[in-house]
Amino acid sequence: QVQLVESGGGSVQVGGSVRISCAVSGYRWQSYCITWFRQAPGKEREGVAVIGGDDSTFYIGSVKGRFSVSRDSAKNTVYLDMNNLQPEDTAVYSCAFASSVLNVRNIPPVGLFGAWGKGTQVTVSS
């Protein structure tokens, strides 16, 4: 059974940077898709960044150029580097696993995800 554990959240000032991690266990192959979601208080959850099984990536417009998703296969960990953070980036960030998504061009449908992490809080203050 696939398990995901996020870490690395915290508080940062406007314009600062944070790296959060998603550690993957319970999957024997190294090719998998991880999507980062965030949910702010009172708002719907939104997908923000994806790394496909072929390491293709996709970002929504509001984070493109500021966020970067990457993978360390040796550590079975996916990272989300967030730069130039703004108050509207404040949210609980969680990762979701899908086994077979390649050539990502959008946030994958929620029905494809087989596992979710519990999330990590990122708070951006001015």
Side-chain angles (χ1 to χ4, degrees):
Q1 184 175 358
V2 175
Q3 292 186 325
L4 309 177
V5 178
E6 301 94 339
S7 62
S11 297
V12 63
Q13 291 191 329
V14 170
S17 299
V18 167
R19 164 178 270 198
I20 56 178
S21 304
C22 174
V24 181
S25 61
Y27 192 67
R28 62 186 298 180
W29 293 279
Q30 292 185 345
S31 176
Y32 51 83
C33 172
I34 292 292
T35 300
W36 285 100
F37 287 83
R38 68 184 179 187
Q39 187 164 21
K43 294 189 177 181
E44 291 189 358
R45 182 179 60 195
E46 67 171 346
V48 298
V50 189
I51 184 164
D54 56 355
D55 286 344
S56 56
T57 57
F58 172 81
Y59 304 91
I60 61 172
S62 60
V63 308
K64 197 170 185 179
R66 300 189 299 123
F67 289 14
S68 177
V69 59
S70 61
R71 182 199 313 271
D72 185 334
S73 295
K75 296 182 178 180
N76 269 338
T77 299
V78 171
Y79 303 100
L80 183 67
D81 290 294
M82 302 181 286
N83 300 304
N84 191 21
L85 284 162
Q86 302 298 312
E88 53 267 32
D89 295 315
T90 294
V92 174
Y93 286 74
S94 56
C95 54
F97 171 96
S99 59
S100 58
V101 179
L102 306 175
N103 192 25
V104 294
R105 296 175 182 269
N106 212 327
I107 302 296
V110 171
L112 289 181
F113 298 117
W116 293 79
K118 293 183 179 181
T120 185
Q121 176 72 44
V122 175
T123 302
V124 185
S125 57
S126 56

